[in-house]
Amino acid sequence: MDRQIGRAELETDGVLRPDTATVQSPAIPVYLRHVSHFLAVFVLSTLLVFAVELISRGSFSDTMLFFQELYRPAWTTVGLYALVMIAFDALLGRSHNGLLVVAPGALLFTWIGRQKALYLGDPLYPTDFLYSRQIVDLLPLLARERPWTAFAIAVATILAVAGLILTWRYWRQRTLRLNAKGRLWRLAVVVPVLVSFVSIMDYNNFSWARDRLRVQPIMWDQKENYAHNGFTMAFALNLPMVNVSAPQGYSPEAINAMSVRSSASGTGEKPDIIMVMSESFWDPTRLPGVSFNRDPIPTVRARQSGAVFSPEFGGMTANVEFEALTGFSNAFLPYGSIPYQQYVRHPLPSLATFLKSEGYATKAIHPYREWFWNRRNVYQAFGFDTFRSEENLPRLASRGRLVSDASLIEEVIREADETEGPFFFFTVTLQGHGPYEPYRYKNPSIDVATESGVAEREAIRTYSEGAADADRSLKKLMRWAAKRQRHTILVFFGDHLPPLGDAYISTGYMKGRVADRRAPLADMLKQHETPLVIWSNQTGTDHGIGTVSPSFLPLHVLELAGLSHPYYTGFLGSIRDRYKVIDRHMLLSSEDVSTPDWSEKSDTDPLINRFRLLQYDMMFGERAGLDKFFPEMKAHGPAS
């Protein structure tokens, strides 16, 4: 016989149903109601993890393998989601309401990660959300390249939000309420387990429990890290990257024991120096099977000093800039980190700091917003006197919706003519930024012929037209400098290869849309080299530099300028004598001998270890090397 059960009776088992609920007699035992709740949450968690991995991997078969191969942490991930959802159930006071909190966020983050992997080749890292404002600000450019996709995303977002609101209202009305006893009981079980889990996720320390749960930190290869551990666990493993641990052997005494190589300094006139980091500048004629009606970059080709081995591809300009200005290396920082966003929180030594101490006027110029990549704060920490950005530059002419290279170089020349005494200008261009939508430029001068599809051909053409503009801007700058009486040094280089997407595949230049992080030397050079020009109006092109990491640019600039510095020409000079490329996955010696995966080996060259220790000392440590290596920084004191 059916009977009515009142509120007081229902509160005793930790589950509170509506006062008018009608149930069958006898009542279901209390423990079965708890078990059924946990089982249901486990099933929902399994479905959610499967959906997350399916989006992340883009392959049903790979997702199935993730669950079938027991050496991977698929079921650990399911358990983690279940615990989190039970915790939210307890906090919200109703069963299965945690699903409506966890699922939308997990699926959204996974979809964003999938898009990043497709465009840039890297998974989503926790630190990416530090520059989410940059992503939002670039959405208009992406929308212009794929308007229907952008429209579909906008409509899907509106529908998803509306659907979530309606689902939430419907779901809460039909799920069981949990009373205080049931909520506290669940939290008492779940919270300690979650706290214990968090404590074992620091990849810097071995964890027996983490190993038993099949979570294996593979921080030196993030693609493999995400492939093995799945999106959620790999993302969690990257959370500690905001804290950089001291490398083995670090101490103030170790820094003080390092020797300083002296180098002679010139006594003549201090030259003016202009560095131009050209957005996505590269040689498009390297694409196989593509012909052009004329050479897009004749000036660079005639004056090329060598190449920059970019640590990035298709984006992450700030990481290349970090190396070029500081002489430090991203190879010694956590994979996926962005020093401009995470680590520049106090004055750091840079080329600008040193030149400022030598009496130079130091100025950074970039025709975009000052907050982008945190440049306003970073340039101040690097010792620049002035940062000229969109906020304080005169209105510059655009080409293809972005500030043109021609108008930017005209502004650089104008400001140089107004500057008395030696100056150091660091300029970052904007026009070459992707995406390279068809017909961006009116009346293009570059014609492209290729057997690739129309979309790929037009992307190559748009990019090549922009590269030709960048080349012409360099020619204009060189002609101006050639007429000057003051010694003037120009440095021009691309920050990374452009994100041409399918054009790389259809032409056979690369197997995928993005560059490899690990590959034979020939492939790594092909996918990471950008043209480099170092030129003086007195001595011409500085030939024979070869392929170098951006961190060696300060050394070559100061050598050409006849200036010496304990770190930039002394310490970096000793490194350059042995190595010319220091990438996190490859060392390239001065004799072109490559050492892949050097960071995973125990017998790393002591010289490289000293480089790592000194960089850590200045960025995170006690700055014991200030007096010896960066005397111009003494006034700033220890890092805070």
Side-chain angles (χ1 to χ4, degrees):
M1 178 181 293
D2 294 348
R3 65 187 181 90
Q4 298 292 321
I5 298 180
R7 176 182 298 272
E9 183 176 351
L10 289 171
E11 286 182 341
T12 60
D13 62 6
V15 178
L16 180 61
R17 291 179 294 276
D19 290 335
T20 58
T22 301
V23 299
Q24 294 293 324
S25 180
I28 299 174
V30 174
Y31 77 91
L32 285 181
R33 281 196 285 270
H34 292 312
V35 170
S36 65
H37 178 211
F38 293 155
L39 288 176
V41 170
F42 185 82
V43 171
L44 292 172
S45 299
T46 302
L47 295 175
L48 178 56
V49 173
F50 191 91
V52 165
E53 290 303 316
L54 183 61
I55 294 172
S56 177
R57 298 170 188 272
S59 168
F60 183 84
S61 59
D62 286 349
T63 304
M64 288 296 298
L65 285 175
F66 180 63
F67 279 85
Q68 293 170 357
E69 296 174 340
L70 298 182
Y71 63 86
R72 299 190 189 187
W75 298 108
T76 299
T77 308
V78 170
L80 176 65
Y81 272 94
L83 291 171
V84 172
M85 286 199 289
I86 290 172
F88 273 108
D89 285 350
L91 292 173
L92 296 172
R94 285 186 179 269
S95 62
H96 307 313
N97 276 213
L99 177 67
L100 298 182
V101 177
V102 177
L107 295 174
L108 176 62
F109 283 4
T110 308
W111 182 83
I112 294 173
R114 178 64 177 169
Q115 302 312 303
K116 183 191 174 188
L118 289 174
Y119 275 96
L120 298 179
D122 266 348
L124 185 72
Y125 304 117
T127 52
D128 289 333
F129 293 97
L130 293 174
Y131 62 97
S132 57
R133 186 178 175 187
Q134 281 93 314
I135 298 174
V136 172
D137 209 60
L138 289 174
L139 286 178
L141 284 175
L142 299 175
R144 281 195 292 272
E145 182 192 25
R146 298 182 177 179
W148 287 110
T149 301
F151 177 76
I153 292 174
V155 171
T157 301
I158 295 172
L159 293 177
V161 171
L164 184 61
I165 294 173
L166 293 175
T167 302
W168 181 270
R169 295 181 61 183
Y170 177 87
W171 195 264
R172 280 190 67 82
Q173 293 173 358
R174 287 160 178 77
T175 51
L176 298 179
R177 292 170 56 197
L178 304 176
N179 67 6
K181 178 181 177 181
R183 296 167 71 177
L184 290 175
W185 188 88
R186 285 164 172 78
L187 289 174
V189 172
V190 168
V191 171
V193 178
L194 288 175
V195 171
S196 299
F197 179 82
V198 171
S199 68
I200 66 174
M201 291 304 287
D202 185 356
Y203 63 81
N204 292 298
N205 300 306
F206 173 77
S207 169
W208 180 89
R210 186 180 65 213
D211 193 57
R212 301 287 81 74
L213 292 172
R214 302 296 188 264
V215 180
Q216 300 293 330
I218 312 175
M219 311 311 289
W220 58 89
D221 187 345
Q222 288 290 350
K223 289 185 179 179
E224 181 62 26
N225 191 29
Y226 277 71
H228 173 85
N229 293 303
F231 177 84
T232 302
M233 288 300 174
F235 189 87
L237 284 168
N238 278 291
L239 285 170
M241 76 165 56
V242 295
N243 295 316
V244 180
S245 300
Q248 185 176 4
Y250 172 73
S251 68
E253 293 74 21
I255 301 299
N256 291 327
M258 293 183 185
S259 60
V260 178
R261 188 175 77 170
S262 61
S263 56
S265 181
T267 58
E269 176 190 35
K270 294 177 180 177
D272 297 330
I273 303 170
I274 299 176
M275 291 183 69
V276 179
M277 187 170 73
S278 185
E279 173 63 45
S280 299
F281 186 82
W282 177 67
D283 181 2
T285 66
R286 299 183 74 173
L287 291 170
V290 180
S291 59
F292 300 83
N293 62 320
R294 67 176 183 85
D295 186 355
I297 57 169
T299 304
V300 170
R301 199 175 310 283
R303 300 289 186 176
Q304 190 164 345
S305 302
V308 164
F309 186 97
S310 176
E312 302 295 344
F313 173 88
M316 308 297 282
T317 297
N319 283 358
V320 184
E321 188 176 326
F322 166 78
E323 290 199 12
L325 284 173
T326 64
F328 294 151
S329 176
N330 289 284
F332 305 135
L333 298 174
Y335 198 130
S337 62
I338 308 161
Y340 270 30
Q341 296 284 359
Q342 298 161 261
Y343 306 136
V344 182
R345 294 293 182 267
H346 55 76
L348 278 181
S350 77
L351 191 56
T353 307
F354 167 61
L355 292 174
K356 182 177 180 179
S357 71
E358 291 288 309
Y360 277 71
T362 57
K363 182 179 295 187
I365 305 172
H366 178 53
Y368 201 58
R369 298 167 190 176
E370 63 177 11
W371 56 262
F372 204 77
W373 287 125
N374 196 33
R375 281 192 173 102
R376 178 174 63 84
N377 296 323
V378 168
Y379 288 153
Q380 183 178 2
F382 282 1
F384 282 99
D385 296 317
T386 309
F387 175 28
R388 301 277 279 155
S389 63
E390 182 183 274
E391 288 80 1
N392 53 32
L393 280 168
R395 185 174 181 82
L396 302 178
S398 297
R399 178 150 156 76
R401 299 180 182 272
L402 296 174
V403 171
S404 71
D405 287 352
S407 63
L408 176 61
I409 293 304
E410 287 175 1
E411 177 62 20
V412 170
I413 291 173
R414 186 189 67 80
E415 298 198 23
D417 287 337
E418 294 178 355
T419 304
E420 296 182 1
F423 63 80
F424 169 57
F425 287 1
F426 180 77
T427 304
V428 183
T429 70
L430 183 60
Q431 181 185 330
H433 205 292
Y436 307 105
E437 66 274 15
Y439 318 115
R440 178 198 282 193
Y441 303 114
K442 296 180 180 179
N443 303 317
S445 63
I446 301 294
D447 288 329
V448 174
T450 175
E451 294 183 359
S452 299
V454 174
E456 290 79 9
R457 183 193 68 209
E458 291 303 321
I460 296 170
R461 187 184 190 191
T462 293
Y463 172 76
S464 301
E465 185 72 20
D469 286 347
D471 187 83
R472 279 192 293 267
S473 72
L474 174 61
K475 183 178 181 179
K476 182 173 185 176
L477 190 61
M478 294 174 71
R479 284 181 172 177
W480 164 80
K483 298 176 183 178
R484 304 188 79 214
Q485 293 183 351
R486 284 189 52 79
H487 185 193
T488 305
I489 295 173
L490 303 181
V491 182
F492 180 95
F493 65 100
D495 52 352
H496 50 69
L497 268 69
L500 290 174
D502 291 334
Y504 289 122
I505 302 174
S506 62
T507 61
Y509 191 76
M510 297 190 306
K511 295 180 181 179
R513 292 166 54 93
V514 297
D516 294 316
R517 297 293 183 180
R518 297 166 181 257
L521 176 60
D523 291 335
M524 291 290 281
L525 293 175
K526 184 169 67 172
Q527 298 173 19
H528 290 275
E529 280 184 330
T530 65
L532 168 66
V533 174
I534 299 181
W535 177 88
S536 161
N537 65 349
Q538 291 187 1
T539 59
T541 302
D542 188 5
H543 289 291
I545 291 178
T547 299
V548 296
S549 288
S551 54
F552 289 115
L553 291 180
L555 164 66
H556 290 286
V557 170
L558 293 184
E559 284 185 336
L560 186 58
L563 298 172
S564 67
H565 183 271
Y567 177 79
Y568 293 117
T569 57
F571 186 83
L572 277 184
S574 64
I575 300 288
R576 189 270 314 272
D577 290 345
R578 199 173 301 178
Y579 300 101
K580 56 184 183 180
V581 170
I582 300 176
D583 180 71
R584 70 175 66 250
H585 293 308
M586 180 174 290
L587 288 176
L588 184 62
S589 73
S590 56
E591 289 81 26
D592 292 324
V593 177
S594 62
T595 306
D597 301 326
W598 60 273
S599 60
E600 303 170 30
K601 300 175 181 178
S602 58
D603 57 344
T604 304
D605 187 339
L607 185 61
I608 296 296
N609 284 331
R610 288 197 290 272
F611 192 0
R612 185 198 304 270
L613 294 178
L614 183 55
Q615 177 173 320
Y616 178 87
D617 180 61
M618 295 309 303
M619 292 187 68
F620 312 104
E622 300 184 31
R623 294 193 158 191
L626 271 181
D627 289 350
K628 183 182 294 185
F629 293 99
F630 302 99
E632 71 276 10
M633 293 287 296
K634 287 188 294 185
H636 294 300
S640 57

